[in-house]
Amino acid sequence: MCSSDLDEVLSATSVGGVTVFYDVNTQTLSLSGLATVANYNTIIDSVRYENLSENPDASQDRTINLNCVDDTALSAAVAAVATVIVTPENDDPVIDLNGPNLSGVDHTTTFTEDGGPVSAIDDDATLFDIDSQDFQSCTLTLQAFPDGNLEALSAFTQFTSVSESYNPSLGQLTLAGPAPVDQFEAVIRTVTYDNLSDDPDASQRIIDVVCTDDQAGSASAMVTVNVVPVNDAPEVDLNGPGVGADFSTSFTEEGAPTNIGDPATLTTLDVDSTDLSICQAVLMGGSPPDGIDEVLAGSDFGGVTVSYSTLTATLTLSGPASKADFQSALRMVTYENTHEDPTVGERTVVVTCLDDDPSPLSSEPVTSTITIIGQNDPIIVDLNGPDAGDGYTSIWTEDEGPVTITDGDASIFDIEDGATVQFCTLVLQNPLDGLTVESLDADRTLNNGVSVGYDIPSATLTLSAQTGGAGLAAFEQVLRSVTYDSTEQNPDTTPRLVSVQCVDPEGVSSSPVSATVTIVPVNDSPVVDANGPLLAGTDYETTFTEKAGPVSVVDNVQTFVSEIGRASCRERV
């Protein structure tokens, strides 16, 4: 046989004791042994040509020369010739995604959430085609991709003739040529799988891989991707859609409680948990400057219960409950400061939440910054000192002189440190016996920076700081000396009311308090002036003349009888 390929052989079936031998070196099939012609004909009919090459040479036909020798050593004059025409068949490409070092042609890899792209093919994967030097394409197709467009395949094609394209709707990566098989092999080793979902489906992903030469495609090889989800921490956004996740607000002294987050848009998120287990809001790291006067408060909502610890200044919202319930409960959390003189400045409330995963994660802390705005507190005047109430009652008795209208330990108080008083006014509300008869006064000899002035038309006693504001103690001293007096000899017994107010340098007035003066009249002795008010003395002298008739014993023109409250007079000789 005319061929140099050892993959080419001749064979025959022995009959009648004839020996059949094929010499691969000379490519000669020998039939030897004495046998009948019929037997040799049978053997020659069984001669077969075979080519074991996966890529046989079809450039020339094969010729087989046949000659026989009889038992007298004579051979045929002319050898018979058999011609074999070799027709090659295309061999499919072969894919081994697992490389030569591992069994099988498939490959398994693992993707971990948030871990970045993972290699989908072994780094020594092989592509082979016995009868083609080039590939036309390779396609890698995700059989299922439950996370949709968040899943993707990609490859590195730089420095090759291979182009890459990914169809997210089909989950299919196409590597297109034509390009040499070794370039396709280099590119397919770079294929990666990625999933950008923060809550990926944990089912396995199957990637079918097929490569084609210019005539046919390979058998499918398969990549199995194990997807490992990772618990994601919850997120709290106090500001809602605004910039950042923190929140700023203010609280005004004596004002209503203020929300620590936007009450309409505060959000709680967790991409892979439906519930949260707990949230906490901590005021100033547990040590607010005004102590227990500063509080955080909230209300139970749905499955969330709320509790507050004054020891740690911590508001705890406990579940487990849905994210929606926690969101609603957090939107109702407020800050309040009941201190009468709060420390101005900023307060911070730090909020965190835990999810309900078996290995729970905490959200990143977010901060609510609350600016405390102080208010000028009014002065408090207490005419009664430490005794109950802030008013005072005194008794004025006719003709006994002035009476103090405040207690000896009456006080003027202001919650704010270093407070001063600008002036105080004491107004006699009902001078029933007249403005010139009744009056108020105070000790004018104290020389403590407080001046005293009385205005008759308004029946107002004013205590004024001589320069700027005077201290509370100085005004207290003067206030304790204020008196009421009247020169009326027949006073109206209606109690007199004195309204007292003090004003600080910022013009803020105290609430009015009242002193009540009980009026006690005294019975006065009658006074008779027989001489009348126009003449000196009270006696009267007259002359009686016999038989001239009776004469008046008093000046009947000017006689004056004065006794307040008396109704009769008697004369005695």
Side-chain angles (χ1 to χ4, degrees):
M1 183 178 68
C2 296
S3 171
S4 62
D5 193 338
L6 297 182
D7 289 328
E8 299 180 70
V9 295
L10 295 175
S11 63
T13 301
S14 176
V15 176
V18 176
T19 301
V20 177
F21 173 75
Y22 181 72
D23 186 343
V24 295
N25 294 315
T26 62
Q27 295 183 308
T28 300
L29 179 68
S30 299
L31 310 176
S32 59
L34 185 63
T36 66
V37 172
N39 284 340
Y40 269 94
N41 282 332
T42 300
I43 295 172
I44 289 173
D45 286 341
S46 72
V47 173
R48 297 290 183 267
Y49 165 84
E50 186 175 7
N51 192 329
L52 301 177
S53 173
E54 294 291 339
N55 187 25
D57 187 346
S59 62
Q60 60 181 351
D61 296 337
R62 308 298 191 269
T63 57
I64 302 171
N65 296 320
L66 176 61
N67 201 348
C68 292
V69 178
D70 64 13
D71 56 354
T72 64
L74 292 177
S75 63
V78 178
V81 177
T83 300
V84 179
I85 299 173
V86 177
T87 303
E89 292 290 330
N90 181 56
D91 289 282
D92 294 340
V94 177
I95 301 173
D96 184 354
L97 302 179
N98 217 21
N101 299 322
L102 297 173
S103 61
V105 297
D106 298 328
H107 183 66
T108 300
T109 188
T110 298
F111 170 83
T112 301
E113 178 187 345
D114 295 329
V118 62
S119 178
I121 311 293
D122 195 86
D123 59 8
D124 58 357
T126 59
L127 302 181
F128 177 72
D129 195 321
I130 190 67
D131 56 8
S132 296
Q133 295 182 345
D134 292 344
F135 276 2
Q136 296 298 311
S137 67
C138 289
T139 57
L140 298 90
T141 306
L142 281 164
Q143 288 186 358
F145 41 106
D147 295 320
N149 291 348
L150 297 176
E151 301 186 59
L153 301 173
S154 63
F156 182 77
T157 61
Q158 193 173 3
F159 311 120
T160 72
S161 301
V162 180
S163 62
E164 172 207 25
S165 64
Y166 181 71
N167 186 330
S169 63
L170 299 177
Q172 186 175 82
L173 175 69
T174 300
L175 306 176
V181 174
D182 60 346
Q183 290 189 13
F184 269 94
E185 183 178 79
V187 170
I188 208 166
R189 289 175 178 178
T190 70
V191 172
T192 59
Y193 167 84
D194 197 11
N195 191 328
L196 301 179
S197 174
D198 285 318
D199 186 22
D201 187 295
S203 61
Q204 286 184 333
R205 306 303 193 270
I206 304 300
I207 305 171
D208 284 324
V209 183
V210 175
C211 293
T212 62
D213 58 19
D214 58 353
Q215 296 186 50
S218 67
S220 174
M222 184 174 67
V223 176
T224 300
V225 182
N226 296 311
V227 176
V228 180
V230 174
N231 182 33
D232 291 280
E235 298 177 22
V236 180
D237 187 345
L238 300 177
N239 206 30
V243 177
D246 297 329
F247 185 73
S248 296
T249 186
S250 63
F251 173 81
T252 301
E253 178 186 351
E254 298 180 355
T258 185
N259 291 87
I260 68 166
D262 192 308
T265 62
L266 179 152
T267 57
T268 56
L269 304 173
D270 195 319
V271 294
D272 55 9
S273 296
T274 57
D275 292 344
L276 300 179
S277 62
I278 191 171
C279 290
Q280 287 190 321
V282 182
L283 175 60
M284 295 297 288
S287 301
D290 293 326
I292 61 174
D293 289 330
E294 300 188 63
V295 295
L296 299 175
S299 299
D300 295 348
F301 188 92
V304 179
T305 57
V306 178
S307 61
Y308 183 70
S309 168
T310 56
L311 294 177
T312 59
T314 299
L315 185 75
T316 301
L317 292 78
S318 301
S322 68
K323 291 176 287 187
D325 282 356
F326 271 95
Q327 177 173 284
S328 296
L330 280 172
R331 287 180 177 182
M332 294 187 288
V333 174
T334 60
Y335 165 87
E336 185 176 19
N337 191 330
T338 58
H339 198 284
E340 290 294 334
D341 185 24
T343 304
V344 297
E346 292 183 345
R347 303 293 192 274
T348 56
V349 180
V350 177
V351 180
T352 54
C353 291
L354 289 177
D355 61 22
D356 67 341
D357 192 83
S359 300
L361 292 178
S362 174
S363 64
E364 289 293 324
V366 290
T367 302
S368 176
T369 301
I370 304 167
T371 300
I372 307 301
I373 301 173
Q375 294 282 68
N376 183 24
D377 290 286
I379 295 167
I380 298 173
V381 178
D382 186 351
L383 303 180
N384 209 26
D387 296 330
D390 53 19
Y392 185 75
T393 299
S394 59
I395 300 174
W396 177 85
T397 302
E398 180 187 343
D399 292 333
E400 290 190 3
V403 61
T404 55
I405 65 168
T406 64
D407 194 79
D409 51 8
S411 64
I412 299 175
F413 175 73
D414 194 319
I415 190 69
E416 294 161 354
D417 295 334
T420 59
V421 180
Q422 189 67 30
F423 64 88
C424 295
T425 59
L426 298 92
V427 181
L428 181 58
Q429 300 288 337
N430 54 342
L432 299 177
D433 293 325
L435 293 170
T436 60
V437 175
E438 301 181 62
S439 63
L440 301 173
D441 203 355
D443 190 341
R444 300 170 185 259
T445 65
L446 296 175
N447 296 320
N448 62 358
V450 179
S451 61
V452 178
Y454 184 70
D455 180 62
I456 294 175
S458 63
T460 300
L461 181 71
T462 302
L463 315 179
S464 303
Q466 293 175 352
T467 55
L472 304 182
F475 272 89
E476 275 184 353
Q477 188 179 24
V478 179
L479 180 65
R480 292 170 181 174
S481 73
V482 173
T483 59
Y484 165 84
D485 198 11
S486 175
T487 60
E488 176 62 40
Q489 292 300 302
N490 185 28
D492 187 304
T493 59
T494 302
R496 302 303 191 268
L497 299 178
V498 180
S499 177
V500 182
Q501 279 186 292
C502 292
V503 179
D504 67 18
E506 296 182 22
V508 178
S509 299
S510 67
S511 297
V513 293
S514 294
T516 302
V517 181
T518 301
I519 304 299
V520 179
V522 175
N523 184 33
D524 292 289
S525 301
V527 177
V528 178
D529 185 354
N531 204 27
L534 301 181
L535 298 176
T538 59
D539 297 333
Y540 180 71
E541 182 178 327
T542 188
T543 302
F544 173 77
T545 305
E546 183 181 356
K547 298 180 180 180
V551 296
S552 175
V553 297
V554 296
D555 187 328
N556 57 11
V557 176
Q558 302 184 57
T559 299
F560 177 77
V561 178
S562 174
E563 182 184 3
I564 299 171
R566 298 284 292 181
S568 64
C569 292
R570 293 187 298 167
E571 295 184 23
R572 183 176 64 179
V573 177

